[in-house]
Amino acid sequence: GEDVEQSLFLSVREGDSSVINCTYTDSSSTYLYWYKQEPGAGLQLLTYIFSNMDMKQDQRLTVLLNKKDKHLSLRIADTQTGDSAIYFCAETPNSGGGADGLTFGKGTHLIIQP
Amino acid sequence: DTAVSQTPKYLVTQMGNDKSIKCEQNLGHDTMYWYKQDSKKFLKIMFSYNNKELIINETVPNRFSPKSPDKAHLNLHINSLELGDSAVYFCATTSGQGAREQYFGPGTRLTVT
């Protein structure tokens, strides 16, 4: 079955870059996502990448996809205290019907040190 | 206007009771989902509805029944609540077109005592 793996914790200093990694097993994965969840809040879609892309950049966020190794990463430049949250990697296959649910990793808790 | 809303935000109830959680979206999306997030923050899909048809039904006990009265609503009814049902339940929607972003509601925290 599908599986998405992430490290559970990442600690970085304020101002440094954070790199959150994710690996997945489903070779039919078409869309890969990063969601952010702050304490007590819902899930915020940060960014996504289509599987025929290698990289996507959006302001402080850079997503890298290595499809051969089934590895996805999220880099947050100039990490701020407001970036403290759980970051979920997720994937979905493309069945064409648009009804596929997301398979989530267990989430990476990003901890910011002053 | 909130794109995806859920009611109630918090629900505390006793074992054995029956309860419903409601979800509404004003995005005009075709597909809606229910996800469960447990106490360890693990998220798993439970159901999806596309044009009022159940598409996915993962290994979820049949005490859980999704009901979609119309395209904008997907409610989750739970019978005979158990302690293990305590979790945060998230509704999500997607248009099924283009990039297929899924937008999540704020969640309903269910506590079964």
Side-chain angles (χ1 to χ4, degrees):
Chain A
E2 304 132 3
D3 197 17
V4 179
E5 297 286 340
Q6 301 176 241
S7 298
L8 288 182
F9 295 96
L10 175 67
S11 179
V12 298
R13 288 186 181 277
E14 190 175 358
D16 287 352
S17 291
S18 307
V19 180
I20 303 170
N21 294 302
C22 169
T23 58
Y24 59 98
T25 58
D26 187 357
S27 57
S28 69
S29 293
T30 300
Y31 291 97
L32 295 128
Y33 305 82
W34 284 104
Y35 281 84
K36 176 183 180 183
Q37 186 178 34
E38 298 183 44
L43 288 145
Q44 175 194 353
L45 176 62
L46 284 178
T47 187
Y48 62 90
I49 190 167
F50 188 52
S51 59
N52 69 353
M53 298 168 66
D54 297 324
M55 187 182 90
K56 182 177 181 181
Q57 185 154 7
D58 184 3
Q59 299 182 340
R60 291 192 298 124
L61 305 179
T62 303
V63 177
L64 294 178
L65 174 61
N66 181 328
K67 194 174 179 184
K68 175 175 167 289
D69 294 338
K70 299 192 181 73
H71 182 267
L72 183 74
S73 68
L74 174 69
R75 178 178 180 269
I76 305 172
D78 187 23
T79 309
Q80 303 298 309
T81 54
D83 296 324
S84 181
I86 303 174
Y87 290 81
F88 290 95
C89 173
E91 61 89 20
T92 186
N94 181 15
S95 68
D100 299 297
L102 299 179
T103 299
F104 282 90
K106 292 179 178 172
T108 298
H109 294 241
L110 180 61
I111 301 161
I112 315 300
Q113 298 173 358
Chain B
D1 278 346
T2 303
V4 185
S5 60
Q6 294 180 229
T7 53
K9 189 171 172 62
Y10 301 97
L11 181 55
V12 181
T13 188
Q14 290 184 325
M15 283 175 59
N17 285 348
D18 302 338
K19 290 293 178 186
S20 290
I21 305 170
K22 297 187 176 184
C23 176
E24 177 179 1
Q25 56 104 354
N26 62 8
L27 297 167
H29 285 174
D30 297 323
T31 306
M32 298 179 72
Y33 306 83
W34 279 107
Y35 289 84
K36 178 181 179 181
Q37 185 175 42
D38 64 21
S39 59
K40 294 183 180 176
K41 303 295 185 185
F42 300 159
L43 274 154
K44 282 209 71 173
I45 185 162
M46 300 176 72
F47 302 104
S48 80
Y49 254 77
N50 186 320
N51 292 324
K52 299 173 72 171
E53 180 186 355
L54 180 66
I55 301 297
I56 300 174
N57 184 349
E58 296 289 314
T59 54
V60 172
N62 59 13
R63 298 181 295 103
F64 290 80
S65 53
K67 296 235 178 352
S68 180
D70 55 58
K71 202 169 96 164
H73 296 85
L74 182 64
N75 303 326
L76 183 64
H77 189 74
I78 315 169
N79 289 327
S80 303
L81 278 154
E82 299 178 359
L83 293 176
D85 298 333
S86 295
V88 181
Y89 291 85
F90 287 101
C91 175
T93 75
T94 186
S95 67
Q97 304 291 330
R100 309 246 306 272
E101 299 100 332
Q102 283 197 18
Y103 295 97
F104 282 75
T108 295
R109 181 174 293 277
L110 172 65
T111 303
V112 182
T113 62

